[in-house]
Every structure is written in C-alpha cells, then in structure tokens.
Amino acid sequence: MQNLLHNLNPEQLAAVTLPPQSALILAGAGSGKTRVLTTRIAWLIQTGQVSPAGIMAVTFTNKAAKEMTTRLSAMLPVSTRGMWIGTFHGLCNRFLRTHYRDCALPQTFQILDSQDQLSMIKRLLKANNVDDEKYPAKNLMYFINNAKDQGLRANRVEAHDPIERKMVELYDLYDNQCQREGVVDFAELLLRAYELLQRNQPLREHYQARFKHILVDEFQDTNDLQYNLLKLLAGQGQQVAGALFAVGDDDQSIYAFRGANVGNMSAFEREFRVENLIKLEQNYRSHGHILDSANHLIANNSKRLGKNLRTDAGHGEPVRIYEASSDLEEAQWIIEEAKSLMLEGALRSEIAILYRSNAQSRVIEHALFAAGLPYTVYGGQRYFQRAEVKHAIAYLQLMDNPHNDSAFLRVVNFPTRGIGMRSIEALQAAAGQYGISLYAAVPYVAGKSGSSLNSFVKLVEGARFETGQLALPEMVRVVLEASGLLQHYQNEKEGADRIENLEQMVNAATQFVQEEGFGQGAPAYLGPKTYASVGEMLVEGDGVEIIDADTPLNVVMSPLSAFLSHASLEAGDAQAQAGQDALQLMTVHSAKGLEFDAVFITGLEEGLFPHESSSREMDGVDEERRLMYVAITRARKRLYMSFTQSRMLHGQTRYNMKSRFFDELPEEALKWISPRVQSHWFGNKKSSWDDAKFTGGSDNKIAQQIAQKAASNGPGWRIGESVAHAKFGEGVIVNIEGGGSNARAQINFGKAGMKVLDLSVAKLDRVGR
DNA sequence: GACTTCACTCTTTTT
DNA sequence: GAGTGAAGTC
C-alpha cells in the first residue's frame, strides 16, 4: 500500500484517504485528478473498506472510463469485474437491460443516436401534419432533450404559449412512438433509470446498499437529471447513505449547451453538507508561461469557486502568437512550426492542433496532406456514424428488434429493391392506423408493393434464421452478404473505402466479443434468456427481480444487443490509426482530458472563438473562456495560438477581428511572431510570407481580387486590416467601395457593429503592436 | 420506381 | 460546403 500512496502530494493524499463521507475535490487542470480517483478506489479496496462490487465510478466519456479501468487493473491484484465503471449512459443501459421488465422495455430495446432521433422526429412531424416551418425538427429535438435532461416528462413540462403547448403534445407523441418501436434516446436511458429507482423502493434500496462508494469524474459536467440520479443512488438523506466522491473543475465546465449545470457543484456541497472539500492546485503538466496564461485568462470569469494553479516547472517557452493573412496561410504556418518542433525531436503524436469547430479542420487537413505529414482527426465522422456502417447496423437492428422504424426505413430500399415512396406511404398509413410498427404493418399492405415489402421481411427473417446459431462476427459477415450491401458497394465506383469499412465491422465484432467477455463462439442471439438458469437472480421485496451486482454484461444482454448498444453509445472513436505516429487534430471539446507536449490553438477570431452564437446565450462568453482555458491547459511545453485576417467559412470569406481572449493574456508570457506587413499584396514590397502560396487555386483569385480592390484605393487601407476608431473602437475592414476621395470602407467594429465610413473623412488609426 | 439535377438551408461543441 | 428535399427525366 505504501506503493499505492507514495508520490502523492499532501492534498492528493488527503483526498485519496478521506473517510467514507461525501467529498468534493476541486481539481485543476493537470493536477492529477484521474490519479486521485483511481488511487482512492484502489486504496478503499486494499484497505478492506469495500469490495469491488461496492464501487461505482462514473465518467462522461468512454475514453475516460477505459483509462480508469486500465489504471485500476495495474494497481490492483483483484479483478475490476464487479465494479461498475462507465459512462452515465453506459451504466444506465446496463441497469435497464438488467431490469428491462420493471421499466416496461422490450428485452432487445435499442438506442437511438442523435441522427436517428432527428429523423424520427421528422417522421413524427410529417405523420401528424405539423408545419415544420413553425416547428423545426431540430427545435423539437432540443426541446425534448432539454425536458428529459431536467427529468421532466411531457405531462410535467410547463407550456407558456401555444407553441410550447404544441411541443409538449409532440413530446408526448414522440415518447409513445419510441415505446411502440422499442427504442430509447440518450436522455431516455437516464430518465428511465431514474424513474425506475424512484418508483421501485426495494430496487432502490438494493442499489443504495450495494454502492458504498460512488465516485464521479468531471462532476461539473453533470446535468440536473444526472445529479438527481446520483442523489438517489447515494441514498442522500437516508440511513444507509453511500459516500459520493465528486471530482470536478468549475473552470472546465464546457457542456452547458447540453444541459450541464455547474451549479450542481455548490448544490452538492450544500445538500450533502460536504465537510471535505479539497483543492488540488499543484499543476504537474504545464510550464509557467502556459499556466500563467491560463490563470490570467480564467480570472476574467466572475462566477468561480476560486482556484489558482501553480507549478514548480520553470517559465519555459513563451506562448507564440501568429497572425496569418488567411486560413490557408495559417495552416501553412502550423506545418512549418510543427516541422521545426519535430526537428527538435518532438513526436508527431505529441503535437495537437485544436480548433473550435469541426469545419475548421478541412483546411488544415488539406495542407497536412499536401505536405505529406501523417495526421489523425478525432471526432467528426466516427466509425459507427458512417452511412454504410449505419446501414449494416440497421439490418442487425431489425434482426434483433424489427419494430425499430428508423432502422426499417434506412434499409427497406437500400440497396434498392423496388420499394419506393408510394409503398412506404401506404405502409406508414397502415402502421399509423393500427398503431403498430412499419414491420408489423407489412401484412396489411396489399398489391404489388405489398409483395416487395413481403420479400424484404423474408430477407430479414431469413437472415435471422440463417444466423441463429452463429457467433457475432460470423453473423455480421453473413448479414453483409445477405443484405446485398457488399455487392452494392462493389458495383459502385467509389465503393472501395466503404467496403473496407464494412469488412472492418467483422473485426469490430470480434474485438467486442472478446473484450466484453462473451464466449468466443457464443451465439449472437443467445444470452439474456439464459440468465435465470445461471442462478444469478435474486428475489427481494415484492418479487422484484434483482440480478446480482456482479452480473456481467454477457448475462443480461445477448452479444448482438450488446454490440448494437455499443455502436450507439460509443460511436467508435474515429478509427484511430493505432501505432501510427501522427499529428493530432481535434476540437477543443474533444481535447478535454488530454495533454500534449505542443499545442496549437487555431482560429482565435471573434465570432469563431468565442463563437458568435455564444453571445446570445446567458454566460455564453464565460463558457467560451472556459473552453479557451481547457485548450491552453492541454499544453505541456509549447503553446501556439493563431488567428487570421480572412477565413473561408460556409462558402464565403469572412473577415474577423482577433479574439478578445488575446487581451486577457499576460503580455509577458507572450511572443508575437507575426511579421508586421502592411501591404503584402502589393508587388513592390516583398513580404516575408511566401508568395508562392498564391500561385494556384481559388485563393489566388481571391487574393487578386482583394489586391485589385485595395490597389484602387491607393496606399493606405486594405481589406482585412485592423483599424481603430475613436468612437467605435477596434474593427476590421471588411470591404472597400469606390476609390480616391470617394472611397468608403465597410468596417466590422465587433461590439459597435458594422459601419460604413468615408475614408477621406473618418479618422482611423492602424492597429499595431 | 430509379436516378439525376437543382435549389435551398444551415451552418458549435457531443454522451 | 454539405446535406437535404423537391422536381425532372429515363
């Protein structure tokens, strides 16, 4: 045990060895919070205070859960089996699978991902003749998820106006439809679990008694429903209360947009009468200048629990800041800097390029590709989200639960088999009339379309019959063939990648079966029906069935059901080119929890970072600032920031001002390395930018256009230039009209808005540094 | 019914 | 720019 606790600093040690009471650990970035969390679990078990089955550890991402499990197995001689370690969604899924009857779900219920949820809502709107202009599907989806995240069913949502009343009505219809189809969305997983525990006392008491220690990672990201679920599980206010050990950092709360409520931290402190509050402020990750920047920036947020990171590492290198002329040039600069880092010996995988939104990766990817540098993009199009993979999954879903209409519609005519709009409409009418699924409605459709539908049903059932005894990977292989998907893509010109992805699915299934402990040859369908005979079922209280704590996944789920859950819940990290040493590209959001020797934060422009939509939301800019804080604190040794004068976004060029966050960084930690070039588009003055970059492609045209426009206005002002106005403050020239003494400039003054000023009259200053 | 083309919108982050 | 949905053509 000495081993376990050595090398912990006093605060970490105190946190790890706290008595079994509720505790709140304020853990700054890079302060070793995962270490504290896992060491505490190990310590609790090694000191005999709790058995593995008494532990529940909740995270938000699958990555974090996996990491925790790995670290624990390294620390503990005992197996991590029996502990409940996972994401909120993963654990709730497991819980609902175990108690599917008690929460009125079919044993093979399936999970809708956001895509499926949206398409389902669209269908619902259509079926009910709702004007989708007035009630956009996305809004309704947001409305529903929001309600669920707060733990509210339709009958408990307050409607303030007719629009909301209608939305509530649709919410109810939506829930009914889900129930008919035997599908649940993400939020529903949590809400069902919560309601079941709420309603079912013996069950609740069983779990309360079981989980002596509940540990929550990234507590600042919990939403109201998740917090309430934790309260219920911990048995807050009860005699047998479990200890809730919450680790979080209010400065890293970046998920308010999906219902996260930082207020849960102070609510927790208050409601659980937390006496043990420990701050971890010693940072082991970043050099001084980087940490100073982070501290300085985040100090601009008002509502904070208060925390300042310190480090023993020296100042290190200053933060380098670069102003590029365009997004292309920004990418070029990143590549040059990355190359020189690698010359100094940096590993490619230790260099991260971060951006605010996924759309920004395109330009950088392009440049990296052209430069021949290997890179990996995280997030974005994930494996299980790819169209061809979703198609294959849909066939599997239909075989496990034919009433999943989303799956049905996805593949009923893909590959095409002569079932068109009219057949589908007839089918939907029949299904609506009898209140049944599309699959179940097939017998009610007569005529020609009826017979093609029938053969589709036969296809699905034939596949099920054929694969009845096969193991999951073999089953997947058969389905890929039988569905005609493989053949379809073989005939397609650009189908090679897709076929590869489909074949990859067999591997994914093989790996999954192994990792989850399903027997190598276990039939894909078999599993749940056998659990009663395994003797793992206990009966308590009013005949409530409780499968014992240690029941592994393979007892409550068939390999197929489990695999389908996995596909929805894990989405598959963009198939990481394992082993490949590559540059890491990702959004700031997905960088959370990671660290790199060198980090580039790109696109630091007003409107992009902070994002323009943030100014509309309450405390939106504060959240953007926290996001920036997360980005900065990812870096160990080197930090780069960049912004550009012009950027191609959504098909048009935009001219943004540099991000306000630059003004919130400590000047002494920064080094501005952009060349100060006034008019690099004019031929006479050679800029230090490589003019070669304008020699080809569409950018060349844009550059010429801009140069022409600028030239016609004589020396002085050009588009993209930063200016200052006595009244309006700082701005960026977005456009210049006319010439000579008539020249007028359209200037984006950010806070003061867009203005058109007469250049011969307006008093403008150049903004230099 | 299948397939192509065109016009249109919506562009933040994700379990 | 991409993805969607509607309309047009075979």
Side-chain angles (χ1 to χ4, degrees):
Chain A
M1 188 194 315
Q2 275 312 317
N3 228 354
L4 207 61
L5 302 179
H6 89 278
N7 276 342
L8 293 177
N9 70 30
E11 292 81 30
Q12 291 175 331
L13 182 68
V16 165
T17 58
L18 279 174
Q21 296 158 0
S22 292
L24 179 60
I25 313 300
L26 283 180
S31 64
K33 106 189 130 70
T34 311
R35 181 147 183 236
V36 165
L37 216 45
T38 46
T39 314
R40 175 157 174 90
I41 296 175
W43 179 78
L44 286 169
I45 291 173
Q46 273 199 6
T47 52
Q49 298 185 52
V50 67
S51 73
I55 297 276
M56 175 182 224
V58 200
T59 64
F60 276 85
T61 64
N62 297 297
K63 217 192 299 177
K66 214 171 258 170
E67 163 128 16
M68 205 182 282
T69 315
T70 317
R71 287 213 209 175
L72 267 175
S73 338
M75 280 187 212
L76 282 173
V78 296
S79 156
T80 53
R81 266 271 157 89
M83 288 185 219
W84 275 33
I85 300 179
T87 62
F88 273 104
H89 295 88
L91 294 179
C92 285
N93 178 43
R94 181 170 172 179
F95 177 76
L96 295 182
R97 294 284 166 189
T98 310
H99 304 290
Y100 68 94
R101 259 176 287 202
D102 299 309
C103 56
L105 282 172
Q107 189 167 24
T108 56
F109 74 84
Q110 291 171 349
I111 301 165
L112 288 183
D113 63 19
S114 331
Q115 231 178 82
D116 294 337
Q117 189 187 17
L118 186 64
S119 79
M120 171 146 170
I121 289 175
K122 282 182 183 164
R123 258 181 287 134
L124 188 80
L125 291 174
K126 218 171 211 171
N128 289 282
N129 294 317
V130 180
D131 180 4
D132 56 0
E133 302 252 307
K134 211 167 162 190
Y135 301 93
K138 280 208 173 128
N139 285 9
L140 186 58
M141 175 157 125
Y142 179 77
F143 180 85
I144 292 172
N145 289 341
N146 204 264
K148 289 192 181 188
D149 283 345
Q150 293 177 54
L152 300 175
R153 287 288 173 200
N155 58 14
R156 288 189 47 218
V157 180
E158 273 181 53
H160 302 98
D161 54 54
I163 299 259
E164 281 190 1
R165 207 163 305 135
K166 184 76 181 169
M167 299 243 261
V168 171
E169 196 183 305
L170 289 164
Y171 173 16
D172 199 39
L173 288 171
Y174 166 81
D175 263 0
N176 289 335
Q177 182 66 29
C178 287
Q179 187 65 34
R180 266 200 295 280
E181 293 186 26
V183 297
V184 298
D185 58 50
F186 285 136
E188 182 74 20
L189 282 170
L190 308 197
L191 186 52
R192 283 266 171 150
Y194 174 75
E195 287 174 342
L196 177 55
L197 282 170
Q198 175 97 310
R199 174 175 71 226
N200 191 323
Q201 188 189 350
L203 199 68
R204 181 173 67 242
E205 286 173 352
H206 173 87
Y207 281 101
Q208 285 174 344
R210 180 187 165 187
F211 295 121
K212 304 270 189 308
H213 289 272
I214 300 176
L215 302 94
V216 190
D217 193 13
E218 310 276 17
F219 190 76
Q220 76 282 354
D221 288 337
T222 52
N223 63 33
D224 291 348
L225 179 57
Q226 288 159 342
Y227 179 48
N228 285 328
L229 187 62
L230 290 171
K231 279 206 266 192
L232 218 49
L233 279 169
Q236 183 238 354
Q238 316 254 316
Q239 280 172 326
V240 269
L244 189 53
F245 187 88
V247 182
D249 180 0
D250 54 321
D251 290 333
Q252 291 190 65
S253 156
I254 55 173
Y255 286 110
F257 71 91
R258 65 175 196 213
N261 179 4
V262 210
N264 284 343
M265 294 185 87
S266 42
F268 169 59
E269 206 183 335
R270 194 175 59 245
E271 293 174 0
F272 281 73
R273 301 212 174 80
V274 173
E275 286 165 17
N276 304 305
L277 186 135
I278 293 179
K279 288 184 188 180
L280 303 180
E281 296 177 298
Q282 177 74 37
N283 175 288
Y284 295 97
R285 183 184 293 156
S286 311
H287 283 166
H289 280 323
I290 295 171
L291 212 53
D292 288 346
S293 303
N295 281 332
H296 218 272
L297 176 96
I298 201 66
N300 288 283
N301 273 4
S302 48
K303 292 175 217 152
R304 297 180 61 212
L305 295 176
K307 197 168 39 44
N308 221 20
L309 291 174
R310 49 172 197 272
T311 178
D312 292 339
H315 282 313
E317 293 287 322
V319 177
R320 288 174 165 75
I321 300 178
Y322 184 76
E323 173 177 11
S325 60
S326 69
D327 44 355
L328 286 104
E329 204 258 330
E330 180 187 40
Q332 214 49 55
W333 170 74
I334 294 168
I335 289 175
E336 293 311 317
E337 290 290 344
K339 275 186 181 162
S340 76
L341 281 171
M342 292 185 295
L343 278 178
E344 290 171 32
L347 281 172
R348 283 195 283 263
S349 58
E350 277 301 334
I351 301 174
I353 302 169
L354 310 183
Y355 33 79
R356 175 66 236 269
S357 61
N358 277 312
Q360 287 165 253
S361 75
R362 158 182 306 283
V363 176
I364 301 171
E365 282 186 70
H366 235 83
L368 284 169
F369 187 79
L373 283 175
Y375 62 91
T376 312
V377 188
Y378 287 84
Q381 183 67 289
R382 291 163 187 240
Y383 178 72
F384 284 110
Q385 313 245 42
R386 291 167 185 278
E388 64 276 18
V389 178
K390 284 215 80 163
H391 283 131
I393 291 284
Y395 278 100
L396 295 171
Q397 284 178 319
L398 282 182
M399 288 162 68
D400 208 31
N401 169 18
H403 304 302
N404 182 337
D405 284 357
S406 307
F408 185 94
L409 287 171
R410 181 177 283 278
V411 292
V412 65
N413 196 33
F414 192 93
T416 50
R417 44 176 75 89
I419 300 172
M421 280 244 297
R422 295 181 54 164
S423 309
I424 298 298
E425 274 166 10
L427 188 61
Q428 280 173 327
Q433 192 185 339
Y434 298 106
I436 52 177
S437 71
L438 297 173
Y439 194 88
V442 167
Y444 297 97
V445 177
K448 191 160 148 262
S449 53
S451 76
S452 1
L453 283 167
N454 256 318
S455 51
F456 174 68
V457 167
K458 280 202 189 101
L459 171 77
V460 172
E461 287 181 352
R464 177 163 43 200
F465 179 73
E466 225 179 295
T467 59
Q469 289 303 310
L470 296 181
L472 186 66
E474 279 81 63
M475 174 184 181
V476 172
R477 178 166 291 293
V478 170
V479 170
L480 291 180
E481 282 291 344
S483 62
L485 282 176
L486 277 181
Q487 212 199 336
H488 172 85
Y489 288 119
Q490 263 151 16
N491 297 336
E492 212 173 57
K493 276 169 282 172
E494 312 275 317
D497 278 356
R498 295 181 185 274
I499 287 179
E500 201 174 306
N501 283 328
L502 286 176
E503 283 173 348
Q504 183 61 34
M505 226 167 109
V506 181
N507 298 337
T510 310
Q511 198 188 345
F512 177 78
V513 168
Q514 267 168 17
E515 281 178 8
E516 294 302 325
F518 290 104
Q520 205 40 250
Y525 288 109
L526 213 67
K529 288 172 202 85
T530 65
Y531 71 74
S533 62
V534 175
E536 303 246 16
M537 194 138 78
L538 306 176
V539 176
E540 279 191 15
D542 306 325
V544 181
E545 291 165 356
I546 296 174
I547 295 190
D548 184 71
D550 298 316
T551 309
L553 214 62
N554 55 5
V555 175
V556 292
M557 270 188 262
S558 71
L560 178 57
S561 293
F563 184 62
L564 293 173
S565 298
H566 169 80
S568 309
L569 288 175
E570 269 200 55
D573 280 327
Q575 70 265 60
Q577 302 274 22
Q580 251 258 40
D581 183 30
L583 294 169
Q584 311 284 301
L585 269 65
M586 65 192 84
T587 64
V588 181
H589 278 91
S590 45
K592 184 156 159 215
L594 305 178
E595 56 182 87
F596 307 91
D597 283 340
V599 169
F600 290 84
I601 308 175
T602 69
L604 278 162
E605 294 135 45
E606 282 295 305
L608 235 135
F609 201 177
H611 197 272
E612 55 198 344
S613 60
S614 69
S615 57
R616 273 178 255 126
E617 281 147 36
M618 264 260 283
D619 299 328
V621 175
D622 280 10
E623 174 139 326
E624 295 289 309
R625 192 172 285 112
R626 290 191 291 268
L627 198 50
M628 180 68 184
Y629 176 80
V630 168
I632 294 174
T633 51
R634 295 312 95 198
R636 292 195 196 100
K637 300 176 190 158
R638 298 291 198 102
L639 180 60
Y640 299 83
M641 299 179 185
S642 60
F643 62 103
T644 85
Q645 296 170 342
S646 70
R647 176 180 299 279
M648 195 65 160
L649 210 63
H650 308 311
Q652 53 183 343
T653 312
R654 307 190 357 168
Y655 303 91
N656 296 318
M657 288 201 287
K658 70 178 197 291
S659 172
R660 70 189 73 182
F661 295 148
F662 285 116
D663 303 331
E664 302 175 1
L665 299 174
E667 195 62 45
E668 63 275 12
L670 313 179
K671 185 172 175 188
W672 297 79
I673 57 175
S674 342
R676 280 309 302 169
V677 182
Q678 284 309 326
S679 312
H680 63 278
W681 284 310
F682 301 138
N684 47 5
K685 213 160 138 195
K686 192 80 178 159
S687 82
S688 55
W689 274 309
D690 185 4
D691 287 335
K693 70 184 175 291
F694 289 136
T695 48
S698 56
D699 193 62
N700 188 28
K701 241 187 281 164
I702 296 168
Q704 278 176 359
Q705 274 173 14
I706 295 173
Q708 272 168 16
K709 270 195 175 170
S712 67
N713 290 294
W717 307 111
R718 64 183 166 78
I719 295 175
E721 193 162 15
S722 297
V723 295
H725 185 272
K727 195 167 151 205
F728 302 133
E730 259 187 57
V732 173
I733 299 181
V734 170
N735 198 9
I736 296 179
E737 299 161 347
S741 57
N742 292 326
R744 292 185 311 158
Q746 191 182 4
I747 304 174
N748 181 359
F749 282 106
K751 282 163 218 155
M754 192 74 80
K755 310 279 175 194
V756 177
L757 302 180
D758 199 321
L759 282 175
S760 61
V761 180
K763 290 199 180 83
L764 293 172
D765 287 319
R766 279 211 167 77
V767 177
R769 273 176 296 277

